[in-house]
């Protein structure tokens, strides 16, 4: 009986591999966008929904994420599709980090200078990940802000030059001044998905699109 069981189990494993295809490494999906667009809030929402864990601390203070954080092996199952990704929550990309931004949040000058230096280094790290180490991009924009900026245009251009799959997420639709259409008009060549990562609004569509685009 032991031999028959072993043979049956071996046949089962071979059959499973035949129908499911070869195992694939998780795809590294970078979460990009300007500071305070809600990138870490979204990363935490995805990670908590599918693993129960968070990626990093959230804050209203700009540049709270100053080093890339990674949550591995996040399996998302939607409508018969399954995709396993590594979430890479990157620092907000900007052309300049001024320590005075931190002073406005009652942070002491020495700490503000340190944070601004770390945030500048974080921007460089985020750009390295984008050019070398990600397989796809979730680009998060604050739908209450003007998307027509130098940084957004530059980053979308780099993403396109690398031919990476990209989803644009119009975040913060819970705000009265939100305009998803404005973001759609800014980047009509890419699909825009509205959501509120903070409130969990429209996350079903978010997960549908992630499973579709990054499978």
């Amino acid at each position: 009986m032991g031999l028959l069981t072993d043979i049956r189990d071996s046949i089962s494993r071979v059959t499973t591999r035949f129908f499911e295809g070869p195992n694939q490494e998780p795809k590294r999906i970078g979460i990009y966008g300007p500071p305070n667009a809600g990138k870490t809030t979204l990363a935490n929402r995805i990670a908590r929904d599918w693993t129960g864990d968070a990626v990093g601390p959230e804050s209203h203070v700009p540049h709270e994420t100053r080093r890339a954080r990674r949550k591995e092996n996040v399996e998302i199952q939607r409508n018969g599709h399954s995709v396993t990704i590594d979430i890479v929550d990157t620092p907000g990309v900007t052309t300049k980090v001024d320590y005075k931004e931190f002073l406005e949040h009652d942070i002491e000058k020495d700490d503000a200078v340190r944070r601004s230096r770390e945030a500048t280094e974080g921007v460089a790290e985020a750009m390295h990940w984008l050019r070398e180490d990600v397989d796809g991009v979730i680009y998060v924009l604050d739908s209450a802000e003007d998307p027509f900026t130098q940084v957004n245009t530059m980053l979308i251009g780099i993403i396109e030059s690398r031919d990476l799959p990209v989803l644009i997420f119009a975040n913060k639709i819970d705000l009265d001044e939100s305009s998803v259409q404005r973001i759609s008009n800014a980047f009509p060549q890419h699909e825009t998905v509205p959501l509120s990562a903070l409130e969990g609004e429209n996350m079903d569509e978010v997960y549908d699109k992630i499973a579709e685009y990054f499978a």
Side-chain angles (χ1 to χ4, degrees):
M1 290 295 292
L3 178 60
L4 291 175
T5 300
D6 290 342
I7 293 173
R8 185 172 63 248
D9 290 345
S10 297
I11 294 173
S12 176
R13 285 194 295 271
V14 170
T15 304
T16 299
R17 286 196 296 269
F18 176 81
F19 285 107
E20 291 185 353
N23 291 330
Q24 293 183 341
E25 290 294 319
K27 294 183 178 178
R28 294 180 297 269
I29 305 302
I31 299 182
Y32 278 82
N36 274 23
K39 298 180 297 299
T40 300
T41 304
L42 175 63
N44 284 340
R45 171 73 61 178
I46 296 172
R48 286 192 180 110
D49 282 352
W50 296 98
T51 72
D53 298 323
V55 176
E58 304 167 22
S59 174
H60 66 283
V61 178
H63 308 290
E64 184 64 28
T65 302
R66 298 185 294 278
R67 295 299 302 270
R69 300 187 182 100
R70 186 168 170 176
K71 180 63 179 176
E72 298 181 337
N73 295 313
V74 179
E75 184 179 4
I76 297 174
Q77 298 179 344
R78 302 296 294 179
N79 302 319
H81 298 284
S82 176
V83 61
T84 301
I85 63 174
D86 291 349
I87 298 172
V88 184
D89 179 28
T90 67
V93 176
T94 184
T95 55
K96 180 182 179 182
V97 181
D98 190 338
Y99 79 91
K100 295 177 183 177
E101 293 181 68
F102 299 103
L103 298 179
E104 298 173 359
H105 296 274
D106 297 326
I107 294 173
E108 296 294 330
K109 183 177 179 180
D110 288 347
D111 192 21
V113 171
R114 176 185 60 81
R115 284 172 176 245
S116 66
R117 182 175 61 251
E118 291 174 352
T120 301
E121 294 170 352
V123 171
E125 182 187 17
M127 297 306 296
H128 172 79
W129 273 94
L130 182 59
R131 291 192 171 99
E132 304 289 341
D133 291 324
V134 296
D135 303 305
V137 173
I138 292 172
Y139 200 81
V140 183
L141 290 169
D142 182 342
S143 61
E145 299 289 338
D146 183 3
F148 291 99
T149 68
Q150 178 183 357
V151 167
N152 290 335
T153 301
M154 175 191 70
L155 287 177
I156 293 296
I158 293 173
I159 293 165
E160 291 174 343
S161 71
R162 287 206 57 212
D163 199 26
L164 293 170
V166 56
L167 283 169
I168 295 180
F169 284 176
N171 194 25
K172 304 189 182 183
I173 60 172
D174 52 298
L175 300 180
D176 291 338
E177 56 269 35
S178 168
S179 174
V180 176
Q181 189 60 50
R182 180 169 52 189
I183 293 177
S184 298
N185 292 342
F187 305 104
Q189 70 274 36
H190 300 292
E191 184 161 6
T192 298
V193 181
L195 75 149
S196 170
L198 180 64
E199 301 295 336
E201 293 183 39
N202 203 39
M203 293 305 296
D204 283 340
E205 183 179 1
V206 165
Y207 295 136
D208 287 344
K209 293 301 181 182
I210 289 175
E212 175 185 344
Y213 270 67
F214 303 129

